[in-house]
Amino acid sequence: QGLLRTDPVPEEGEDVAATIGATETLSEEEQEELRRELAKVEEEIQTLSQVLAAKEKHLAEIKRKLGINSLQELKQNIAKGWQDVTATSAYKKTSETLSQAGQKASAAFSSVGSVITKKLEDV
């Protein structure tokens, strides 16, 4: 029943006075059950924190043995991220559009350069 309860749980920073009324309506037995459940959940959180810390230590050891350092990881993450970005259709369309715009701009500058050169030759 404990995990399936639908009673609202006050969020961090929520007005505690608003929840006091809820405790007053609980029987002593219900309050004791909730205290036991609270202790159990806190214990589980502590255990999970310890397991996570052990896993992180193990991960660091494996990386050390493989010669993987933070800079190499960052480089790999950036390379993978860039590869993911360039694979998107939005990137491909944008790249294509910019390429066409660059070609048109280059042609326009070439035309302007030719006109200027011709005018200078005329002078």
Side-chain angles (χ1 to χ4, degrees):
Q1 175 191 358
L3 293 176
L4 300 177
R5 290 183 68 106
T6 58
D7 297 342
V9 177
E11 295 293 326
E12 185 176 340
E14 185 177 339
D15 187 8
V16 177
T19 61
I20 290 176
T23 345
E24 292 172 357
T25 61
L26 295 175
S27 69
E28 281 294 320
E29 186 178 301
E30 290 173 320
Q31 288 181 21
E32 188 56 37
E33 181 184 340
L34 287 175
R35 285 188 189 100
R36 282 192 302 270
E37 185 177 348
L38 176 64
K40 180 182 173 188
V41 170
E42 287 175 338
E43 184 180 326
E44 289 172 350
I45 290 171
Q46 181 66 29
T47 301
L48 290 170
S49 295
Q50 291 170 350
V51 169
L52 179 60
K55 293 283 185 184
E56 287 174 337
K57 184 177 178 181
H58 184 61
L59 174 71
E61 182 65 21
I62 291 171
K63 286 181 179 181
R64 186 190 64 75
K65 287 179 179 179
L66 290 172
I68 299 172
N69 61 33
S70 298
L71 183 57
Q72 288 172 324
E73 275 188 89
L74 179 61
K75 286 179 183 178
Q76 289 173 352
N77 289 343
I78 290 172
K80 175 73 171 114
W82 181 248
Q83 183 180 4
D84 291 346
V85 167
T86 57
T88 64
S89 61
Y91 175 84
K92 290 176 183 175
K93 288 178 184 176
T94 303
S95 178
E96 190 176 298
T97 302
L98 289 175
S99 176
Q100 291 172 358
Q103 290 171 358
K104 289 178 182 177
S106 178
F109 286 133
S110 179
S111 280
V112 169
S114 298
V115 170
I116 291 173
T117 303
K118 186 173 182 182
K119 290 289 182 182
L120 288 175
E121 288 175 354
D122 291 344
V123 172

